Amino acid sequence: MKLSINKSRSLWWIISSIIILAGIISMVISSQQIGLPLRPSLDFVGGTRLQFERDCTNPDNCNKAIDINEVREVANAQGLGDSSIQIIADKDTRKDNGVLIRTKALDVEKRTNLQNALSEKIGTFDPQKTQIDTVGPTIGRELFRNGVVALIVSFVGIIVYLTFRFQLDYAIFAIIALFHDVLITVGIFSILGLVAGIEVDSLFIVALLTITGFSVNDTVVIYDRIRETLQTNPNRPIADIVDDAVNQTLARSINTTLTTLLTLSAIFLFGGATLKYFSLALIIGFTMGAYSSIFIASTLLALWRERKGQPVVSPTSESINS
């Protein structure tokens, strides 16, 4: 079966626009509610992260499941009603015997009082599995600033490389596709932050940087096939050239994406709380990266070259084998 992506390119653009618009609306709502488009973790705003797990070697200590409402009652009594609270599974038993609390910065006395109150309410904690981390707001701001700078530098580097490797219009549409992938990923996490309280941390910035590299890889392969055909058949309609390039590289794109998503899905399901949302961001971004390389970057290039008229042949250079 041969795909004719340019015949339905308006449909692909509408689908992307709807998803992006939903994300933008969510970011606006989130900005009004919490002051930021995404729900930030302690990595960015500073505060204290406390993780406690019950000691199941004590008789009857783990018979009853932890009730998150009881944990919230204790937090409210300690003046920490605005804390983020999550019940987590024990790494060994896979049962919900732990609690993760993200809250404002607490001194030693307040942390001890909270731990003692929780222990009385839900059971004795295993001291070897207790984790307490404190992040200052200055470090959080620095992490955010460095992450944004890294994203900007990566985008500039990609523009320079693609302009040198192909032509400026290729680079522009590849960057538009990258913005598409990043914006959809950010928008979905904004929605998840509103409806499920999911926070973004420093690993989210790493995920965005990884997404840009993966997405542009597929785009470069398709662009290389387009350029090869333009060199041999410069008068052929650009829409046909793009359709052929996509079909010639489609199996490669699908196989690469699926094998990567299988690994990321395993990390999401079994990798633990630390890597769960990092892998989710990659799953969303990689899926959108494959989509945008085929349906966004390629179709935009075809439209632009049609508007320009006669296609321009890129300088001859070594091709990339798919």
Side-chain angles (χ1 to χ4, degrees), residues 42 46-50 104-107 111 131-137 139:
L42 299 184
T48 301
R49 174 184 175 275
L50 307 100
K104 61 186 179 182
L106 303 177
D107 57 28
R111 294 200 302 262
Q131 300 179 24
I132 301 176
D133 304 307
T134 300
V135 178
I139 296 176

Side-chain angles (χ1 to χ4, degrees), residues 52 74 78 109-123 125:
F52 305 118
V74 173
Q78 298 289 322
E109 181 181 357
K110 291 181 179 179
R111 294 200 302 262
T112 303
N113 291 338
L114 176 61
Q115 183 174 352
N116 291 338
L118 285 171
S119 182
E120 292 176 4
K121 193 75 173 180
I122 63 177
F125 296 123

Side-chain angles (χ1 to χ4, degrees), residues 124-312:
T124 304
F125 296 123
D126 185 346
Q128 294 183 346
K129 295 182 179 180
T130 297
Q131 300 179 24
I132 301 176
D133 304 307
T134 300
V135 178
T138 302
I139 296 176
R141 287 193 294 269
E142 184 177 347
L143 281 171
F144 177 76
R145 183 172 60 252
N146 290 343
V148 172
V149 169
L151 273 174
I152 294 173
V153 170
S154 68
F155 273 51
V156 172
I158 290 170
I159 290 175
V160 172
Y161 167 74
L162 290 180
T163 302
F164 174 77
R165 187 72 175 85
F166 299 98
Q167 288 183 340
L168 182 59
D169 53 355
Y170 286 84
I172 290 173
F173 297 124
I175 289 297
I176 290 174
L178 289 183
F179 272 119
H180 166 278
D181 304 337
V182 170
L183 194 54
I184 286 181
T185 305
V186 171
I188 290 176
F189 266 79
S190 177
I191 295 171
L192 292 175
L194 285 177
V195 301
I198 293 175
E199 300 174 341
V200 297
D201 55 16
S202 55
L203 283 178
F204 184 72
I205 301 294
V206 177
L208 294 182
L209 289 167
T210 308
I211 288 166
T212 60
F214 184 89
S215 175
V216 79
N217 178 64
D218 270 352
T219 304
V220 166
V221 172
I222 295 173
Y223 278 179
D224 198 65
R225 289 299 176 91
I226 293 173
R227 184 183 56 189
E228 286 178 354
T229 308
L230 282 174
Q231 290 169 356
T232 56
N233 297 285
N235 296 319
R236 190 181 174 193
I238 186 64
D240 292 345
I241 292 175
V242 170
D243 284 349
D244 283 350
V246 168
N247 282 279
Q248 290 168 15
T249 59
L250 186 61
R252 175 198 180 281
S253 297
I254 292 175
N255 291 335
T256 302
T257 303
L258 282 180
T259 52
T260 306
L261 290 181
L262 286 173
T263 304
L264 291 174
S265 298
I267 296 174
F268 177 75
L269 294 173
F270 309 111
T274 303
L275 296 176
K276 184 173 185 179
Y277 296 116
F278 170 71
S279 58
L280 178 60
L282 292 180
I283 289 171
I284 296 169
F286 284 9
T287 303
M288 288 299 102
Y291 175 87
S292 68
S293 295
I294 296 171
F295 298 107
I296 304 300
S298 301
T299 55
L300 286 175
L301 178 65
L303 177 65
W304 169 254
R305 288 299 179 95
E306 287 174 355
R307 295 283 176 87
K308 283 181 65 177
Q310 190 74 11
V312 179

Side-chain angles (χ1 to χ4, degrees), residues 5-132:
I5 60 170
N6 281 286
K7 288 184 178 180
S8 304
R9 58 193 178 196
S10 296
L11 174 62
W12 317 131
W13 299 341
I14 289 172
I15 292 172
S16 294
S17 299
I18 291 172
I19 299 173
I20 290 172
L21 182 60
I24 291 174
I25 292 173
S26 174
M27 285 188 275
V28 171
I29 295 173
S30 179
S31 297
Q32 293 174 343
Q33 291 185 358
I34 63 176
L36 291 169
L38 295 169
R39 188 177 295 276
S41 71
L42 299 184
D43 287 357
F44 297 125
V45 297
T48 301
R49 174 184 175 275
L50 307 100
Q51 181 172 320
F52 305 118
E53 290 188 24
R54 292 189 299 192
D55 185 359
C56 293
T57 59
N58 292 344
D60 302 327
N61 195 47
C62 299
N63 290 345
K64 181 183 176 183
I66 297 177
D67 186 349
I68 193 170
N69 293 321
E70 292 182 347
V71 179
R72 292 191 188 281
E73 288 177 4
V74 173
N76 289 332
Q78 298 289 322
L80 305 173
D82 58 347
S83 302
S84 172
I85 300 172
Q86 181 181 354
I87 305 301
I88 59 174
D90 183 275
K91 295 179 181 178
D92 300 323
T93 64
R94 296 293 180 183
K95 295 182 179 180
D96 292 339
N97 287 318
V99 59
L100 176 65
I101 301 174
R102 295 182 177 91
T103 185
K104 61 186 179 182
L106 303 177
D107 57 28
V108 176
E109 181 181 357
K110 291 181 179 179
R111 294 200 302 262
T112 303
N113 291 338
L114 176 61
Q115 183 174 352
N116 291 338
L118 285 171
S119 182
E120 292 176 4
K121 193 75 173 180
I122 63 177
T124 304
F125 296 123
D126 185 346
Q128 294 183 346
K129 295 182 179 180
T130 297
Q131 300 179 24
I132 301 176

